[in-house]
Amino acid sequence: MAVLSKRVISVERENCVACGTCIKECPRNAVSVYKGCYAVVDLQLCVGCGKCAKMCPTGCMETAERGA
Amino acid sequence: MKTKKKWYDYLWIWSILFFTLGFFNILFAWLGMIDFLLPVFLAVFGGNKFFCNKLCGRGQLFQMLGAKYHCSRNKPTPSFIYSKWFRYGFLIFFLAMFANMVYQTYLVAAEAAGLREAIKLLWTFSIPFGWTYTAGSVPDWIAQYSFGFYSLMLTSLLIGLVFMVLYKPRSWCAFCPMGTMTQGICKLRQKIKND
Ligand code: SF4
Ligand code: SF4
Ligand code: SF4
């Protein structure tokens, strides 16, 4: 079992426009868009680097403590 | 483990090619219908945003210019832009403009109006574009639709570029009518399924 990062991304679904900008940014392939509705992050893969959040046009992604 | 580039990661070339082709021959504007119909088709029948997420050349272009080539201030998009009322309001406005364009095409087809060899930017500024079309090579309405559709595509590109520079590279995606429409369709599908 790999060591998990301290921080991960959380998505505020209400504001997500499902554009997929985050998918293209993520170096770990951790993001997908659930049935065209909103982005979901695979917390096993996410390392909390924040690259997706930096590019998200609606600012609906935030880094947070894992498990918080 | 940076993922390998797929063929569709190069579709930003298509979004440049589209405007270049149209600049020499306006009839190529019809090809832009792919960017109109495919996303809707995928949303209605596939229930996904595969188009936005993987295929959209415009999104890729903005992301590339904005991030890789630093053409964006990278500031947060103003929140009202991605509010529901603005997004759906803009979608309705866009569809109304599209309907008007179809109506203009109809008028030309019905010979109630003459062909205007010009494009209109931001639904306001008319720019002569006559060199892109040899009169009489196709029925007038086909040419009229080309000018109209090219105008729509160029107008939305310009708005997108301004938003790219001012805010996030892909701020346009926050209120892009195609994006709003396809997400709306997908959400509706989910709702119907869950009810
Ligand atoms: S970039 Fe932001 S708005 Fe776009 S799909 Fe990802 S989380 Fe949603
Ligand atoms: S924080 Fe980094 S690893 Fe996690 S989803 Fe975003 S881009 Fe991927
Ligand atoms: S929201 Fe519009 S510009 Fe952005 S990826 Fe989707 S179709 Fe392309």
Side-chain angles (χ1 to χ4, degrees):
Chain A
M1 182 80 207
V3 180
L4 295 174
S5 61
K6 278 216 178 69
R7 300 176 77 78
V8 283
I9 282 291
S10 75
V11 181
E12 196 194 319
R13 286 180 186 172
E14 195 48 32
N15 283 336
C16 176
V17 296
C19 61
T21 306
C22 47
I23 299 179
K24 291 223 190 287
E25 280 305 298
C26 181
R28 303 266 305 163
N29 245 340
V31 206
S32 53
V33 167
Y34 178 74
K35 292 193 197 295
C37 296
Y38 45 76
V40 282
V41 178
D42 183 336
L43 296 182
Q44 294 298 310
L45 292 174
C46 178
V47 291
C49 67
K51 283 186 81 170
C52 52
K54 207 176 148 222
M55 201 64 66
C56 171
T58 70
C60 69
M61 301 182 113
E62 260 180 13
T63 37
E65 291 292 329
R66 188 181 284 275
Chain B
M1 63 179 212
K2 184 82 193 168
T3 39
K4 246 187 87 197
K5 284 216 172 185
K6 300 261 177 34
W7 62 271
Y8 49 68
D9 288 321
Y10 298 94
L11 284 172
W12 54 271
I13 299 170
W14 160 243
S15 66
I16 297 173
L17 195 67
F18 170 81
F19 290 106
T20 317
L21 288 172
F23 190 80
F24 292 103
N25 188 331
I26 199 69
L27 297 177
F28 280 113
W30 278 86
L31 285 178
M33 288 301 286
I34 300 170
D35 291 300
F36 232 73
L37 298 175
L38 188 60
V40 177
F41 182 86
L42 288 173
V44 170
F45 297 105
N48 63 50
K49 294 240 308 170
F50 191 75
F51 184 84
C52 284
N53 298 169
K54 308 276 177 180
L55 304 180
C56 179
R58 175 169 297 186
Q60 290 172 17
L61 186 70
F62 289 157
Q63 200 160 348
M64 188 172 75
L65 291 177
K68 201 167 160 200
Y69 297 107
H70 307 287
C71 298
S72 172
R73 292 197 314 156
N74 225 338
K75 296 272 187 253
T77 316
S79 58
F80 81 90
I81 293 285
Y82 51 85
S83 65
K84 289 231 152 51
W85 68 266
F86 184 82
R87 290 180 67 210
Y88 281 98
F90 191 67
L91 171 64
I92 290 164
F93 170 75
F94 217 82
L95 289 178
M97 290 297 130
F98 185 79
N100 179 47
M101 185 193 87
V102 173
Y103 179 63
Q104 299 301 327
T105 308
Y106 162 76
L107 287 182
V108 170
E111 289 173 15
L115 171 66
R116 280 177 309 267
E117 295 183 9
I119 56 166
K120 219 170 202 172
L121 287 184
L122 296 163
W123 303 282
T124 317
F125 308 104
S126 203
I127 298 169
F129 229 56
W131 72 86
T132 61
Y133 179 63
T134 317
S137 52
V138 291
D140 277 358
W141 69 269
I142 292 183
Q144 185 63 58
Y145 188 83
S146 306
F147 285 110
F149 198 73
Y150 194 83
S151 308
L152 204 69
M153 292 292 269
L154 196 56
T155 296
S156 54
L157 179 86
L158 290 176
I159 299 174
L161 282 172
V162 170
F163 272 79
M164 174 195 81
V165 172
L166 290 179
Y167 305 109
K168 297 275 174 185
R170 276 176 68 165
S171 281
W172 164 254
C173 293
F175 65 109
C176 164
M178 286 320 288
T180 306
M181 186 154 67
T182 48
Q183 189 194 25
I185 294 169
C186 289
K187 281 190 167 171
L188 202 65
R189 271 184 60 123
Q190 280 305 100
K191 225 179 139 187
I192 292 168
K193 236 187 190 160
N194 295 339
D195 280 350

